[in-house]
Every structure is written in C-alpha cells, then in structure tokens.
C-alpha cells in the first residue's frame, strides 16, 4: 500500500478521498447491547457533511474554535471532521475535566460552541459554558436538564444534523480552503507540570505524522487493518495514531467500552494494531504475573521456559541452539498462542507511547510472542517523533526518528526536534512558544542520547531530574518504573532533591490489596491501611527487591503508603495515566519530607 501524504492539503481532504474509495464498506464500530454495530463510510460522510453545514448555519466562522467533550465514539470523529470541514478548529476536552477545567479551556481558547455527548458530562460543562464570554451554543447528543441558560443556546445533535442535511452540499469545496500550515486543533497539554497549554497542531503536522507511521509499519504488509480505540481522543497520541492514521489506511475503527473492559474488547475485536501507554502494559504484566502465581507448578515452569527462550531470542538475534529451537517451537504453540489469543490473536504489533516504557516490560511481552514497538513523542510534535521499526527493535531505546523528522542532541543532553510535525505554537503564549521552539528546533525538555544507528535513548525529563545533596543526578522515572514492576505496587513517586537519598510514596496494587485483605480479614479501604505494620512489611520487601538491583544513589531508603491512588479525579494523574508530580507534592510533600527525620 502506497500513500502520498504530501498530496493532501488538509485532514478533511484525506478523509473525503478515503471515503469515496471505500463507499459502503464498514468503517466505525460501536458497542450497543453487548454487540458491535457498524457504520459505513457513506453513512459517516453524510453525518460529517450535515453537521458541518449545520455548524455554518449556527454562524461558525473560519478559525473559530469548538470544544468537543465526549468519550471515544463515532460522534467524536464526526464532530472533529465536521468542525474542520467548516473551517473551524477543534478543541478536544478531557471527559475527566471538572467545571473549573472546562472554564479554563473555554475561556482560554475563546471557543464559540461545544459539542457534548452525555448528560453527566453536560452537567459539569454547563456552568462553565454559562460563565464563558465567548461560548454561544451547545450541541448535545443527549437531552439534559439545563435550567436557566441566559443567552446560551442549546441544540439537539439530531436537529442540527437534520437542518444541515437540507442545505446544498458544498462541504468538500468549502473545506479545501485550509492549507497544511493552518491550525487543525488545539490539544491541551496534560498539565504534569502546571496549567495546561493549548498546542496549535496543524493539518500538515498530523499528516506528516501519519506519513512517518506508515513508513514505519509498512514492513507489516499493511492492508485490511483493525484498530481498537480506547485512549482518550482528546490526547494527541490517540487523535493522530488512533483516528487519522487509521483513516489514511482505510482501516476499521472499533471503540472500546472502557479501559476496564479492554481485555474483553480485545478478544471481541481482534485488532491488528494496538496503541497504548506504558501504564496499561504494566497493568497487564501485573495481571498476568498474578494469574501465573495461581497456576500449578508445571504450568509455571512452561511459562518461565517460554519467557527465558523468548528473551534470549530478543537479546541475541534469535540464536538458539537446536534443542532450544525445538523447545521454542513447541512452547510457541502451548504458551504463546494462548497469550496472543487473550489479545485477539492477530496483533501485528503493540505500539507504546506517551511515556517511557520499562525495557523489561517490553522484553516480557516480546518473549511471549507479542511484539512491542516503543515510540517517543510530544503533543508539540503532533505527537510522534520516533519509534522502533518492526524489523530491528532495540527495546532500551525509542527507536530512530520517523521519516521526515530531524533529531539532534544539544550540548546539555536535551533532545531537539525539527520538521513539519511541529506545532504552530502555544495559543496566546508567545513567550512559551519562543522558549520552546528556537531557530526552528523544538526543545523537548527530555534528556537523551543517540547510538550509531540513530536510535534515541531517553534518560530523563530535564525538569524532573533529582539533584541529591551531594550533587549527583538521579532519574525518578527510572526508579519508579522498577517499583511499579512489583506485583504489590501499582503507582510510585520518589523525591530527593537537595536531600542525601530518595524516599517514596507508594500506592499498593488494587488486586494484591484485595486478595491480601481477604486473606487477613482486614478492611479493603486503603485509607485505613496507611499505618498497617503487616502491609508495610510486604511493601518493604518489594522495595528491598528493587534496591538489590539499583546503585546506591538510586536506592529508596524510606517510603509511605498513600491513602488513595493517583487518579484523574483527584488530579494526581493525567488522562493518559502519568503522575502529576506537582499535585502529589502539594498534597503529600510535608509527609514525604517527614520521612527524612526518621531513624535509619
């Protein structure tokens, strides 16, 4: 399959060409009443055009912003392309946002309208929309109790679609006005370091990302691909890799019910390509490890042998001796086929991005017959910068730069990036833009190095590096990734800046905690267990296992148990499950500092 991504002036042009090619073929799949139901390319196109015309009837002008607040579903894609086709700019909002978050997005972006899916989301949104000076209307997929709305107009999705369908169809001609350098969407950063900024992603930036992804994966023999969309579409990773890249391949997109139903949906959908963040791979690793502990010794030995041979192949380029090769072939049928079946049975690759993946996790899944391609990116780069090619994976790296992307390492170790994939800038923040893109190079804030083959290795975030009191630098992400590999630990954050050593705050794994509480007749509430001596002893043993393999500077000397997990609801985690250090420190900083006063 050959695709000339340079031939498209904008994202709607890409979509409409693919829609014309595919006609009545199935495109989007949504779960209703325990069964997936299809929407064809033709039906999707009708709704995109009708909604786009309806938005123009509401007065949407070129360059104006529209917020999309919805879980992953067909209407998300339809809204996105309808807004862009009408000359507008899509502003995705996280479904985990509270009213104050919505007010920031609406006020900062100057959005003139909102498309919202459910009643529950609308109730959190409405107070913010009423306070926003620019917001004129809300289009809702479901009716909701509005009360007094002042000058804010409310419209039903079906009515706007019906009204637009009655207008003359000039949508494709109207959409051609947008060029590759024009802004397609505002993607708000996850806010791991403070107030989220609005990244102005261009049509050309996203198309360039699709081109790079296609060149990377074409070794698979790309054809009739199936994607399962479950990461939030409001994040640039899923927006590009889970929506526009599949569109460019004429692929089918299934929408997962939820992260909790992911394994079930994987078995139902049987995707060929899967994109996810490291935390989900870590969670699946812990689940498989716990289940293995409950199996009979013979099965455990089979699994261990499979993993050992798989790791040897990954490390040594497949150099197994004759006996090992025969064993590996048998174990491939007995063990790996069963593992692959849990993920649908036809995955060509699982792509990891959004944060650093522990190489041991990647090797674990690779050894069990599930190829993981670790990549690297940032929202400011549309977002993918690099990824491991399927033919030559170096698990400890994030691969070489995508085709069309330049990468270099600055004198202080910072990774710099250049190419069409870069953002236009931060909306209404010229100072931040000028300090982030200097002489055409994106200053990523990540520290790394490149080997002789151009493969990039990320060593840390520039801002997150801990400088101990002795002047030594420590990567907190590296230590945290080892901690969360333990079956007893779900989340971890370490601190130690200007201190002699590291201390940590730990969140016990939910399944481990449930089983342990049941076996010991204890309360399941984590808040009741922060000082439990028995639980602390188990977590201490886990920390000591980690410390055995760490150099002295990286060893965790003390820890505390968090009374709750780090979630989007308490604002201690981003929607892509990265911890928000500044939020955690604001809540637990004093208690963590208190660990330094304890006796050794």
């Amino acid at each position: 399959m050959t695709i000339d991504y340079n031939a498209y002036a904008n994202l709607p042009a890409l979509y409409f060409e693919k829609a014309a090619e595919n006609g009545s073929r199935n495109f989007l799949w949504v779960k209703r009443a325990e069964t997936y139901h299809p929407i064809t390319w033709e039906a999707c196109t009708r709704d995109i055009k009708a909604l786009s015309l309806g938005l123009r009837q509401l007065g949407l002008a070129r360059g104006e912003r529209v917020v999309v607040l919805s879980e992953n579903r067909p209407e998300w894609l339809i809204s996105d392309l309808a807004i862009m086709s009408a000359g507008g700019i899509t502003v995705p909002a996280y479904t985990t946002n509270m009213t104050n978050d919505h007010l920031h997005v609406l006020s900062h972006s100057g959005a003139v309208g909102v498309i919202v899916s459910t009643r529950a989301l609308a109730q959190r949104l409405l107070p913010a929309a009423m306070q926003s000076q620019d917001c004129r209307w809300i289009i809702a997929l479901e009716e909701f109790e509005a009360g007094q709305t002042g000058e804010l107009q409310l419209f039903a999705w079906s009515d706007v679609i019906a009204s637009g369908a009655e207008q003359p169809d000039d949508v494709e001609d109207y959409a051609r006005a947008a060029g590759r350098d024009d802004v397609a969407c505002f993607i708000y950063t996850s806010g791991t370091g403070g107030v989220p900024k609005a990244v102005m992603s261009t049509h050309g930036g996203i198309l360039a990302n699709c081109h790079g992804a296609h060149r990377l994966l074409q070794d698979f023999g790309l054809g009739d691909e199936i994607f399962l969309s479950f990461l939030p579409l409001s994040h640039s990773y899923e927006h590009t890799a889970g929506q526009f890249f599949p569109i460019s391949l004429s692929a089918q997109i299934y929408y997962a019910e939820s992260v909790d139903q992911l394994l079930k949906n994987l078995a139902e959908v049987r995707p060929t390509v899967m994109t996810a963040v490291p935390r989900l791979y870590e969670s699946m690793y812990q689940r498989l490890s716990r289940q293995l502990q409950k199996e009979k010794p013979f099965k455990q030995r089979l699994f261990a042998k499979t993993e050992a041979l798989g790791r040897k192949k990954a490390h040594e380029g497949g150099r197994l001796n004759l006996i090992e090769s025969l064993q590996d072939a048998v174990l491939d049928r007995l063990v790996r086929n069963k593992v692959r079946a849990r993920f649908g049975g036809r995955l060509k690759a699982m792509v990891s991005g959004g944060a650093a993946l522990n190489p041991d996790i990647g090797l674990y899944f690779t050894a069990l017959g599930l190829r993981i391609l670790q990549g690297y990116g940032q929202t400011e780069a549309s977002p993918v910068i690099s990824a491991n090619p399927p033919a030559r994976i170096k698990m400890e790296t994030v691969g070489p730069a995508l085709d069309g992307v330049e990468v270099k390492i600055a004198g202080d170790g910072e990774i710099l990036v250049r190419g069409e994939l870069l953002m236009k800038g931060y909306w209404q923040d010229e100072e931040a833009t000028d300090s982030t893109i200097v002489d055409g190079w994106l200053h990523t804030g990540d520290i790394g190095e490149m080997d002789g083959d151009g493969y990039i290795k990320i060593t840390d975030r520039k801002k997150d590096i801990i400088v101990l009191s002795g002047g030594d630098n420590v990567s907190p992400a590296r230590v945290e990734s080892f901690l969360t590999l333990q079956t007893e630990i779900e989340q971890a954050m370490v601190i130690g800046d200007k201190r002699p050593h590291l201390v940590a705050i730990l969140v016990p794994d939910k399944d481990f905690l449930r089983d342990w509480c049941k076996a010991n007749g204890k309360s399941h509430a984590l808040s009741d267990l922060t000082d439990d001596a028995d639980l602390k002893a188990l977590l201490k043993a886990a920390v000591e296992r980690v410390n055995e393999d760490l150099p002295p500077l990286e060893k965790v000397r003390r820890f505390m148990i968090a009374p709750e997990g780090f979630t989007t609801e308490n604002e201690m985690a981003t929607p892509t499950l990265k911890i928000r250090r500044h939020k955690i420190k604001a809540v637990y900083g004093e208690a963590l500092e208190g660990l330094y006063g304890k006796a050794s």
Side-chain angles (χ1 to χ4, degrees):
M1 179 191 295
T2 301
I3 301 173
D4 182 8
Y5 289 92
N6 291 318
Y8 301 106
N10 55 48
L11 294 167
L14 168 71
Y15 171 80
F16 287 124
E17 180 175 300
K18 297 301 174 182
E21 292 173 1
N22 289 288
S24 60
R25 291 182 61 203
N26 292 331
F27 174 33
L28 306 177
W29 294 77
V30 62
K31 193 81 170 285
R32 297 192 188 97
E34 293 302 310
T35 304
Y36 271 102
H37 297 271
I39 298 172
T40 65
W41 285 85
E42 285 177 342
C44 188
T45 301
R46 282 197 299 271
D47 281 354
I48 289 170
K49 289 185 173 183
L51 181 60
S52 186
L53 291 164
L55 292 172
R56 284 161 57 188
Q57 277 190 302
L58 293 179
L60 181 66
R62 292 189 185 275
E64 287 188 325
R65 281 74 61 199
V66 178
V67 167
V68 175
L69 176 59
S70 170
E71 69 283 14
N72 292 16
R73 58 192 289 171
E75 290 85 358
W76 209 111
L77 180 148
I78 291 166
S79 298
D80 194 21
L81 281 159
I83 293 164
M84 293 180 189
S85 298
I89 295 171
T90 303
V91 183
Y94 288 110
T95 57
T96 53
N97 280 359
M98 304 306 289
T99 298
N100 285 341
D101 301 313
H102 289 313
L103 182 58
H104 169 72
V105 170
L106 286 166
S107 300
H108 183 258
S109 69
V112 299
V114 181
I115 298 174
V116 61
S117 59
T118 67
R119 295 181 185 88
L121 292 175
Q123 294 299 339
R124 289 207 301 266
L125 165 79
L126 185 59
M130 290 174 63
Q131 293 179 63
S132 172
Q133 295 182 349
D134 300 294
C135 191
R136 303 192 298 260
W137 43 261
I138 294 176
I139 298 172
L141 273 70
E142 296 180 2
E143 291 184 12
F144 64 95
E145 296 294 328
Q148 296 295 320
T149 59
E151 298 181 2
L152 189 67
Q153 294 180 286
L154 303 182
F155 300 95
W157 167 276
S158 57
D159 291 343
V160 177
I161 293 278
S163 177
E166 296 175 354
Q167 306 303 309
D169 177 11
D170 65 347
V171 174
E172 292 186 48
D173 289 336
Y174 194 85
R176 289 194 184 99
R180 291 178 72 97
D181 194 46
D182 288 328
V183 177
C185 55
F186 288 1
I187 302 287
Y188 276 84
T189 58
S190 57
T192 54
V195 177
K197 296 189 287 288
V199 171
M200 295 187 286
S201 296
T202 66
H203 291 271
I206 295 172
L207 286 165
N209 240 225
C210 292
H211 164 79
H214 186 266
R215 290 292 296 271
L216 177 81
L217 298 178
Q218 61 186 357
D219 287 348
F220 287 149
L222 289 168
D224 295 328
E225 304 304 326
I226 295 174
F227 285 71
L228 178 62
S229 177
F230 65 94
L231 292 175
L233 279 163
S234 43
H235 191 277
S236 59
Y237 184 26
E238 187 70 11
H239 189 235
T240 294
Q243 177 169 289
F244 283 107
F245 182 52
I247 287 172
S248 75
L249 301 177
S250 297
Q252 297 180 66
I253 302 173
Y254 285 72
Y255 294 98
E257 295 172 88
S258 67
V259 173
D260 293 338
Q261 299 294 317
L262 181 58
L263 284 176
K264 174 189 171 187
N265 292 156
L266 279 168
E268 294 170 324
V269 173
R270 303 178 62 228
T272 59
V273 181
M274 171 179 166
T275 57
V277 292
R279 183 67 203 117
L280 288 168
Y281 292 120
E282 291 167 1
S283 178
M284 288 186 284
Y285 163 81
Q286 290 179 330
R287 183 175 296 183
L288 287 171
S289 297
R290 280 192 300 272
Q291 290 175 350
L292 184 62
Q293 290 171 3
K294 299 175 183 178
E295 295 288 353
K296 294 179 180 179
F298 176 69
K299 283 191 176 181
Q300 292 183 8
R301 288 195 295 272
L302 280 180
F303 201 91
K305 186 65 175 178
T306 305
E307 184 182 350
L309 291 174
R311 283 178 180 272
K312 185 176 182 181
K313 285 195 299 182
H315 276 303
E316 301 177 26
R319 290 192 293 272
L320 301 179
N321 61 40
L322 179 60
I323 293 176
E324 288 174 331
S325 296
L326 292 171
Q327 290 174 329
D328 192 64
V330 173
L331 291 170
D332 197 61
R333 298 182 63 183
L334 293 177
V335 178
R336 293 196 187 100
N337 279 350
K338 291 181 180 178
V339 174
R340 285 189 283 253
R342 295 196 61 179
F343 291 79
R346 56 183 178 185
L347 272 173
K348 296 178 180 179
M350 302 192 296
V351 184
S352 178
L357 176 72
N358 188 306
D360 198 57
I361 292 287
L363 284 172
Y364 173 85
F365 281 108
T366 300
L368 297 179
L370 294 166
R371 180 191 284 135
I372 283 193
L373 307 178
Q374 181 175 200
Y376 163 64
Q378 290 193 339
T379 305
E380 292 83 349
S382 300
V384 186
I385 294 168
S386 69
N388 273 273
R392 191 183 181 193
I393 299 170
K394 297 184 182 182
M395 199 61 71
E396 71 281 4
T397 77
V398 294
L402 295 185
D403 189 60
V405 180
E406 294 180 73
V407 173
K408 68 179 182 179
I409 308 297
D412 63 355
E414 185 174 8
I415 298 168
L416 308 184
V417 180
R418 184 166 67 179
E420 189 184 15
L421 77 169
L422 297 190
M423 66 175 180
K424 194 140 188 170
Y426 296 114
W427 173 250
Q428 293 186 337
D429 198 337
E430 188 175 344
E431 182 180 350
T433 299
D434 291 343
S435 64
T436 302
I437 300 181
V438 182
D439 297 328
W441 290 92
L442 172 69
H443 287 239
T444 65
D446 289 317
I447 302 298
E449 56 196 33
M450 277 196 290
D451 67 14
D453 297 318
Y455 281 61
I456 304 163
K457 184 176 182 180
I458 311 293
T459 56
D460 212 336
R461 281 291 295 168
K462 193 172 182 179
K463 293 180 181 178
D464 289 342
I465 289 175
I466 291 173
V467 182
L468 298 174
S469 57
D472 299 289
N473 291 349
V474 174
S475 164
R478 170 179 149 83
V479 178
E480 290 157 2
S481 71
F482 284 118
L483 288 168
T484 54
L485 280 182
Q486 308 307 304
T487 56
E488 299 92 341
I489 301 171
E490 182 170 343
Q491 295 170 304
M493 188 187 82
V494 299
I495 69 165
D497 210 43
K498 300 176 183 175
R499 290 290 192 169
H501 55 257
L502 301 180
V503 299
I505 180 168
L506 306 177
V507 178
D509 179 80
K510 287 189 290 289
D511 292 332
F512 153 76
L513 192 63
R514 182 196 62 231
D515 293 343
W516 178 77
C517 288
K518 185 177 179 180
N520 291 275
K522 303 229 179 186
S523 164
H524 287 204
L526 181 55
S527 57
D528 295 335
L529 297 168
T530 55
D531 293 318
D532 188 284
D534 295 331
L535 179 59
K536 282 189 172 180
L538 289 172
L539 293 180
K540 182 179 180 182
V543 171
E544 288 175 349
R545 288 198 302 271
V546 171
N547 283 341
E548 287 176 4
D549 297 322
L550 294 176
L553 292 172
E554 294 182 342
K555 293 184 188 296
V556 175
R557 308 292 180 176
R558 300 280 176 274
F559 68 87
M560 62 174 286
I561 301 173
E564 61 178 336
F566 308 144
T567 67
T568 53
E569 287 75 14
N570 60 27
E571 300 185 338
M572 294 185 201
T574 71
T576 52
L577 308 181
K578 291 187 287 188
I579 61 172
R580 302 179 76 188
R581 298 181 186 278
H582 68 292
K583 290 287 187 181
I584 297 170
K585 286 179 180 177
V587 176
Y588 300 116
E590 186 175 341
L592 283 165
E593 289 293 336
L595 295 176
Y596 287 103
K598 295 193 174 184
S600 301

